[in-house]
Structures are given as structure tokens and as C-alpha cells.
Amino acid sequence: MIHIKNLVKRYGQLTALDHFDLDIQEGEILGLLGPNGSGKTTAINCLLALLKYDKGEITVFGQKMCPDSYELKRQIGIVPQNVAVFDQMTVSENIDYFCGLYVTDKGKRKELVEDAIRFTGLEDYRKMTPKKLSGGLLRRLNIACGIAHRPRLIILDEPTVAVDPQSRNRILEGIVELNRNGATVIYTSHYMEEVEQICSRIVIMDHGRAIASGTTDELKQMIRTAETVTIEGISLTEQQLQTIRELPHVFQTELSQEHTLSVKCTSGRHNLVRILSYLQEQELTFGRVYSAPPTLNDVFLEITGKELRD
Amino acid sequence: MGRLYRYNVLQILRNRADLFWTLVFPIIMATLFYITFGSSQIENMKLIPAAVVEGGNQIFEAFLDGLDGEVLALSRMDDKAAQKALKDGKVNGIFYSEGDPSLAVAGTQINESILEMLLNGYRQNQGLAEMIGAKNPLGLIKASKQMAEQTDFIEAVDAGGSTQDSALDSFFSLVAMTCLFGALMGVESAIKLRADQSALAARRSVTPTQRFRLIASEMLAVFTVQFANICILLLYLHFGLGIGMGRRWPLLLPVCALGTLCGVAAGFFLGGTRLKEGIKIGLVIAGTLFLCFLSGMMYSGMKAEVERFAPIVNRLSPAALIADAFYSVSVYENSYRYGRSLILLALITILLTAAAYLRMRRERYDSI
């Protein structure tokens, strides 16, 4: 459906997109995950023919995307990172305005606007201007303006920034529903939990490159970490720490100043039991203990050597 | 496009800050000018009070009657009463309707000069007037009006664009300022159209609506609202403050329309640059006030000084051209100068509109 090949975008000396490749299949929710400045929004702007790029090729629905590709644009809905609505217009006027940029038929548009208002739960706020809406409601209006014309492809650029948990959940549920109704979704975020929750495929970006892609499970299988055991409230000598490091399947240990021990293990049985047995043997006292499978942050950390949240 | 236009107009009308600067502020300024200059001076703008002492020259009296209520507020008096009225400042001059008509004035201001020009105009066409009076006395009133409309003698006091009337300088420059303040709304609209300057513009840029339609609907909406503001201001000046716009007032409408479009286009052009919004707004306000200062809004002799030392500024400054066109219609009834101002204003407006469109039509950017 969308094919980006070898895309290069430079801002002077800074390379924002470095031979970036991306393929998107119809019907999927693709998550573009990466820290701030990794090139997600730049890639989206190039895809939408808003930004000039130095090299590469972009095709959407099998056709080259240009600024005057109006028929292609008609099938795309965009929800930008910053709320982009008119302050002087009410909720329903804003949705009608943006829907009207795609749909000229007045009767059809009226129906679509009502659907978008219902879908985003803005029924009680239709006569309000954006200034009177909370951050969450404003984000919902931002989404309604982008989806009212029922696009085939929806691009959501960090739609949940600065949104309360309740609104965030509603937005995420809405995106999944849009996808169920047939829309292909590109979802950019630096919140790995969101991406993990809703995306059928994830592309991890860093320094303008796609460094890994696949489903959540596929990504997690790419890295060495299969399990992270965390033990709180523990004090260890260097010798004891070294012994833990030498236990089977353990490849990394870290003891924080807050006395929290983090042990990363490769795939293997009884990792937790082995560690606890050693601690018992040493008659050490400790607090809460838990074991967790790897997160996307672990994937990012292992591939790039830095935290995704950085 | 009609729907886009309607929504754009709606947005502008709901923007109170813009409406303050483009409508309320000029009305406040006009009121302050009125208070400053006083109503008596304003009244003088409409009709020149003059006395006529009848002396048997019926053709000259008919000539003056033809101008009564148009240029003159004529009172028939005996010589003594007329002298007293002149001394008291109730009239600007006394016409003596004798075989060879004469004029007595007490000053050298513009009203006295106009009375003198009217007399000179009669003398230059005396033979023609006598012939018309003899054959068709009713036609003399029409002929006298036509004589008064002749522009060559009016040029005589119109030295270098100076009108010697501080009140009119200020009011007409104020109209020019209001026209050019359309640039404020132009800047805001332009920012909402350039994807490298606002998220809203970026969002609109990726829709299937043609760029031309987006730009045209915005410009048209800003123009409509600002032109309406100008009309409201003119109505206020005329009916609220009693400032006469002359009997050829419909000619002022194309001046206002072009002046407004000029301001709007300048705003779109400036709005399309990558300067910060505050700087753009500051430039519009400072630039407009500076041009209006040069055209005499704060100091009535300024326009004449500019004409003496740098006349090109008066030919290129939209504020000076608008004010000059207003004078040409409302005071001098000078068709040549009106036409010249209108043509120059149209050329500047076309250039600015083309430049604004070229700047705004871009659809793909180096950075956002």
C-alpha cells in the first residue's frame, strides 16, 4: 500500500532520514516507534509530500506521491502532533470545515460529521470552541477532524501527547475500531506501551533509520534478553554480585544505589528459582521480587545502547 | 469555494482582536481627531460660507446660485452686514455682484483661495456665461456647475499635494491607515496557509483542496471583512462626524477597494515570510503608521514636505495615494489626480497580490 525506499532527508549538516525504508500493508496498524528526533514526523511529512527530500522514492496506493496528487490525498486522513483546529470555530464547525476539504456533497458531509462527533464522544461539546475544551477533548477533536471523511489510510502523529489516561484509552480504542472498520493506520509514538498495545507491526526508528521491524514478539525475539528479574531492597557484596552474574543464562546484572538488583537472563527455565536459591543460600534479606518479559524499551536498549525514553 | 469563504469570514468576524484594530481603533481615532480639530473646522470641509452683495449682475448671481449648496453656503446681505459677517468669521468672503464682479476676503486659507478661484473661473468664462444667460437663463445654473468643476484653476492652489487643511489630512490618512490595516488579517491568514509556519496550515496542505482555492478564499474573505470595515468607517465619518465626502463619493469606493486589497496583499506577502508572527504584526503596524505619518496623519504639512523633497514617495506610498485620491474626489474634484492615484494604487496592488500569491502557492517545503 505504501512503499518508501532509500529515503534521505538532510537539514544542512543534520541527516534526519538516512536511507529510510518502509513498507506498509493494507489493513495493518503500523507503529513507528522512536525517541524524539528519530525522524518519525519527518518521514510522515515526506510521505505526505509536504517536505522536499534529497533522495528516495515514495509511492502511495501504487502511485508516486506529489503535492498535487489530490486523488491520493482524498484517501488519506492526518492527525498531526500539534492540535490543528480553528480557535474561532465550534467543534462541529471545525469538523465540517475539514471534512468539507475532502467531501463536497453537503448531505453526505453532514452525516459524516455526525458520525465523527459520535465516534470521538464529542456530542456534548459540539457548540463549544476549542479554547473551552480540556486537553483530552481537544485531542479528540483533532482526531475527529482527521477521520471524518473516512479515509483509507489514517496517519496519527503522536496523538496522545499530554492526554489524561482516560482520554488516552478512549483514543487507543478508537484507533483499533477504525482499523477494524477497514482503515490502515500509521501510528507514530515514543510511548512503547501504546505501540505495543495496538500495533500489529512495529518499526523502530533511531537517527533517521529503521533499525528493526516486526511484530512485538518478533522484535523481542531479536534480542538476547528473555527475562528480567528484579529484586528490591537488597545489599550485595561485589563477590556475591559476581556469583549471580555467573549463574546459567544470566548475562547482565545491575545493582542500583536504591538497592535494586536487575538481572537479565537469556531464554531458559528456572532463572528466577536459581537466583532466589542463591540468595537464600547466602541468607540475604530482600524486598519485592518480580520477573518480567522484555519490553520494547529492552529491544531498543539492546539495539542502540540507549533508553527509548532518552 | 463558497463554503470555505463563508467559514473564513466567520472566523475573521469572531476574532475580536483583529476587529478591534481594523474597525474599532480607526473609529476611536476618528472620534479623537474630531474632538481635537473641533466641529467648526469639520463643518468647513463641507461648504464654504460666503456672502453676496447684490449689485445687478444677474448672470454672476445665477452663477453663484448654481454653486449654492454644492460648494458654497451663500447668504445674500447688504454690504454692511456682509462686512460684519466677514469680520466675525461667519463668512470666508464677500462676492460683489457688480458689472465686473469682485471678491473681498479676510484671510489666505484654502477656503478663501477656493472663493478666489471660483471668481477667476467665472471671469475666464464670462463671455460664455453671458451668452448662455441671454439665450437660455435656466441653462446657466448647469453651466456654472460645469465651470466650477473645471480642474485647471483648482491646480493653482494644489501646490505639491498640500491641502493646507490639517483636519482633512488626518481623516483621509486615517482611512488609508484602515485600508492598510487589512494587512494584519492578511498576515494571520497567510500563517494559516503556510505549512512551514503552523500545524493548521500543514493540515490544510495535505487535503485534496487545490492550493489556489485555499488562498483565493482566504484573501477574498479578508478583503470582504476589511472593505466592510472601511465602509462602516466612512459612514461614521459622514453621518457620525459630519465630514463631507463630496458629491462624487461613489468614486471613493474603488479607492477603498484597491487600498484594502493592497493592504491585504501586503499582509499575505509578509505573512508568507519566515519571520516570527510578532515581528510580522509589528512590521505591519509600524510600516502602516509610518506611511500614514508621511501622508499627513499626525502632521498636516508632512505630505507637502515629502512632495517637495522626495515626490516619488508620494507616488509609491499606498497611504499617500489613498489620501490623495480622497482629496481629488472630496475636495478638488480633480479627475486627473484621482485617475493617477487610482492607477498607481492598482499597479502596486497587482504587484503585491502577484508577489503574495507566488509566495503562498508553495506546497512543498525544505523544512517544517
Side-chain angles (χ1 to χ4, degrees):
Chain A
M1 186 182 197
I2 292 172
H3 180 68
I4 298 177
K5 194 179 174 188
N6 214 19
L7 192 64
V8 177
K9 170 66 189 171
R10 293 190 188 93
Y11 296 111
Q13 296 295 313
L14 178 79
T15 304
L17 291 173
D18 186 6
H19 301 276
F20 177 69
D21 292 318
L22 183 70
D23 277 300
I24 300 167
Q25 307 303 318
E26 184 135 29
E28 68 178 347
I29 303 180
L30 179 99
L32 271 182
L33 182 67
N36 289 329
S38 59
K40 304 183 297 288
T41 303
T42 302
I44 296 299
N45 286 335
C46 288
L47 169 67
L48 292 168
L50 269 177
L51 264 182
K52 288 177 187 169
Y53 45 88
D54 299 282
K55 197 177 162 187
E57 192 181 285
I58 299 173
T59 56
V60 178
F61 308 128
Q63 292 176 53
K64 193 178 173 192
M65 186 69 175
C66 301
D68 60 351
S69 302
Y70 297 125
E71 275 315 304
L72 295 183
K73 286 180 173 181
R74 200 174 294 282
Q75 301 174 66
I76 300 172
I78 172 83
V79 179
Q81 189 171 345
N82 297 318
V83 175
V85 294
F86 291 101
D87 289 339
Q88 287 82 23
M89 296 205 287
T90 64
V91 164
S92 57
E93 284 168 350
N94 263 297
I95 301 171
D96 183 57
Y97 177 89
F98 284 105
C99 187
L101 296 175
Y102 298 83
V103 181
T104 49
D105 182 271
K106 198 177 172 183
K108 190 181 173 190
R109 197 170 65 236
K110 198 175 172 187
E111 196 180 301
L112 290 172
V113 169
E114 280 307 309
D115 284 351
I117 288 173
R118 265 196 302 276
F119 184 80
T120 47
L122 292 168
E123 295 99 324
D124 297 335
Y125 310 96
R126 63 179 77 216
K127 297 279 180 199
M128 282 191 183
T129 54
K131 280 180 184 170
K132 291 178 183 166
L133 299 178
S134 67
L137 290 172
L138 210 52
R139 286 275 164 190
R140 284 197 237 165
L141 171 61
N142 200 33
I143 292 172
C145 291
I147 59 153
H149 60 288
R150 289 191 189 151
R152 198 171 147 199
L153 170 68
I154 302 170
I155 300 170
L156 299 115
D157 192 4
E158 311 235 16
T160 58
V161 172
V163 167
D164 60 277
Q166 195 186 346
S167 284
R168 177 176 293 192
N169 285 336
R170 181 158 191 145
I171 289 168
L172 296 178
E173 284 164 16
I175 292 165
V176 173
E177 196 180 331
L178 286 169
N179 176 250
R180 269 202 300 268
N181 292 340
T184 303
V185 177
I186 301 177
Y187 186 86
T188 82
S189 180
H190 61 275
Y191 296 126
M192 56 186 176
E193 300 85 359
E194 288 181 3
V195 173
E196 209 169 336
Q197 186 183 335
I198 65 166
C199 295
S200 50
R201 197 160 65 86
I202 299 161
V203 172
I204 297 180
M205 289 186 73
D206 191 38
H207 293 302
R209 303 190 76 152
I211 54 173
S213 74
T215 61
T216 309
D217 289 340
E218 284 168 351
L219 286 170
K220 287 176 182 176
Q221 280 167 18
M222 286 179 191
I223 59 169
R224 220 173 147 198
T225 308
E227 183 180 7
T228 302
V229 176
T230 306
I231 301 157
E232 293 176 352
I234 190 167
S235 294
L236 293 167
T237 63
E238 186 53 41
Q239 179 59 45
Q240 287 167 331
L241 199 60
Q242 182 61 33
T243 308
I244 293 171
R245 212 172 282 145
E246 286 166 2
L247 289 172
H249 302 293
V250 172
F251 69 92
Q252 192 183 20
T253 59
E254 194 181 320
L255 184 63
S256 73
Q257 287 182 339
E258 291 81 31
H259 303 285
T260 299
L261 174 67
S262 171
V263 184
K264 289 191 183 290
C265 310
T266 56
S267 182
R269 285 183 167 192
H270 312 305
N271 289 333
L272 177 63
V273 173
R274 247 192 305 273
I275 294 165
L276 289 177
S277 298
Y278 173 73
L279 297 180
Q280 201 171 17
E281 190 183 294
Q282 295 289 309
E283 296 183 343
L284 290 165
T285 56
F286 48 86
R288 206 154 62 103
V289 177
Y290 49 92
S291 167
T295 63
L296 288 174
N297 190 47
D298 293 320
V299 176
F300 192 79
L301 181 65
E302 213 167 304
I303 295 173
T304 66
K306 61 184 181 186
E307 295 269 348
L308 186 58
R309 289 186 178 91
D310 290 348
Chain B
M1 191 152 139
R3 195 187 63 88
L4 292 178
Y5 169 77
R6 277 198 307 278
Y7 270 127
N8 290 336
V9 169
L10 194 68
Q11 282 179 58
I12 296 167
L13 290 177
R14 287 178 184 170
N15 189 331
R16 288 177 189 171
D18 276 356
L19 280 185
F20 173 80
W21 284 107
T22 55
L23 177 64
V24 181
F25 180 67
I27 286 176
I28 292 172
M29 291 277 283
T31 311
L32 290 176
F33 285 161
Y34 183 80
I35 293 165
T36 306
F37 295 121
S39 59
S40 60
Q41 198 172 347
I42 307 295
E43 281 300 313
N44 284 343
M45 294 176 203
K46 294 196 290 189
L47 298 173
I48 301 167
V52 58
V53 177
E54 292 174 351
N57 189 339
Q58 289 179 350
I59 292 173
F60 181 64
E61 283 168 26
F63 167 75
L64 291 177
D65 285 343
L67 299 175
D68 191 19
E70 298 287 339
V71 183
L72 302 175
L74 208 59
S75 309
R76 281 185 157 75
M77 300 177 187
D78 59 38
D79 189 27
K80 197 177 171 185
Q83 290 289 350
K84 190 173 185 301
L86 184 65
K87 195 177 172 186
D88 295 344
K90 289 177 182 170
V91 294
N92 291 127
I94 307 165
F95 287 109
Y96 291 96
S97 167
E98 295 154 347
D100 182 19
S102 60
L103 172 72
V105 292
T108 55
Q109 295 299 306
I110 187 164
N111 282 356
E112 286 79 358
S113 303
I114 291 172
L115 295 178
E116 198 177 333
M117 286 183 296
L118 291 173
L119 179 63
N120 289 338
Y122 172 79
R123 282 174 177 158
Q124 284 169 13
N125 298 282
Q126 192 170 3
L128 180 66
E130 284 170 357
M131 192 179 76
I132 294 169
K135 288 184 178 176
N136 178 18
L138 289 175
L140 190 61
I141 292 173
K142 195 178 170 189
S144 65
K145 285 180 185 174
Q146 284 174 349
M147 272 190 258
E149 281 173 14
Q150 287 179 2
T151 55
D152 50 348
F153 65 85
I154 292 174
E155 285 289 340
V157 291
D158 184 17
S162 169
T163 60
Q164 303 168 23
D165 193 322
S166 55
L168 282 181
D169 270 337
S170 299
F171 282 111
F172 292 161
S173 295
L174 183 69
V175 174
M177 182 195 81
T178 312
C179 287
L180 298 181
F181 264 1
L184 288 173
M185 293 193 281
V187 164
E188 286 195 8
S189 289
I191 289 170
K192 289 177 192 164
L193 280 167
R194 290 268 306 199
D196 57 346
Q197 298 193 17
S198 70
L200 194 58
R203 179 171 226 163
R204 291 209 279 179
S205 296
V206 297
T207 64
T209 303
Q210 286 180 352
R211 190 91 183 130
F212 174 77
R213 293 177 66 194
L214 286 174
I215 297 170
S217 62
E218 279 281 354
M219 281 188 101
L220 205 59
V222 175
F223 170 79
T224 307
V225 174
Q226 187 57 11
F227 187 65
N229 287 344
I230 298 282
C231 292
I232 292 169
L233 177 67
L234 292 182
L235 289 172
Y236 178 70
L237 290 177
H238 188 71
F239 294 107
L241 304 182
I243 296 165
M245 295 293 161
R247 55 208 166 116
R248 297 197 296 170
W249 64 267
L251 291 175
L252 297 176
L253 296 180
V255 179
C256 293
L258 276 175
T260 304
L261 192 56
C262 184
V264 171
F268 269 82
F269 180 77
L270 190 64
T273 62
R274 301 209 67 174
L275 296 168
K276 286 183 180 172
E277 186 178 355
I279 294 174
K280 291 175 189 176
I281 298 289
L283 281 174
V284 167
I285 293 174
T288 302
L289 290 180
F290 180 65
L291 290 179
C292 291
F293 166 71
L294 292 182
S295 69
M297 191 165 80
M298 296 88 168
Y299 164 55
S300 65
M302 196 63 206
K303 194 155 160 261
E305 293 296 316
V306 172
E307 186 69 29
R308 192 185 306 164
F309 296 107
I312 188 75
V313 175
N314 279 347
R315 302 290 98 74
L316 295 177
S317 159
L321 291 170
I322 294 166
D324 207 53
F326 261 74
Y327 265 116
S328 305
V329 171
S330 304
V331 180
Y332 305 138
E333 302 197 347
N334 183 331
S335 299
Y336 167 73
R337 272 183 58 173
Y338 171 77
R340 185 185 68 183
S341 298
L342 207 64
I343 289 167
L344 287 171
L345 197 57
L347 287 174
I348 293 169
T349 304
I350 289 167
L351 277 175
L352 276 173
T353 308
Y357 178 71
L358 288 174
R359 191 171 273 280
M360 298 305 303
R361 71 172 180 167
R362 171 181 272 201
E363 291 180 284
R364 202 176 242 183
Y365 301 85
D366 290 325
S367 66
I368 290 178

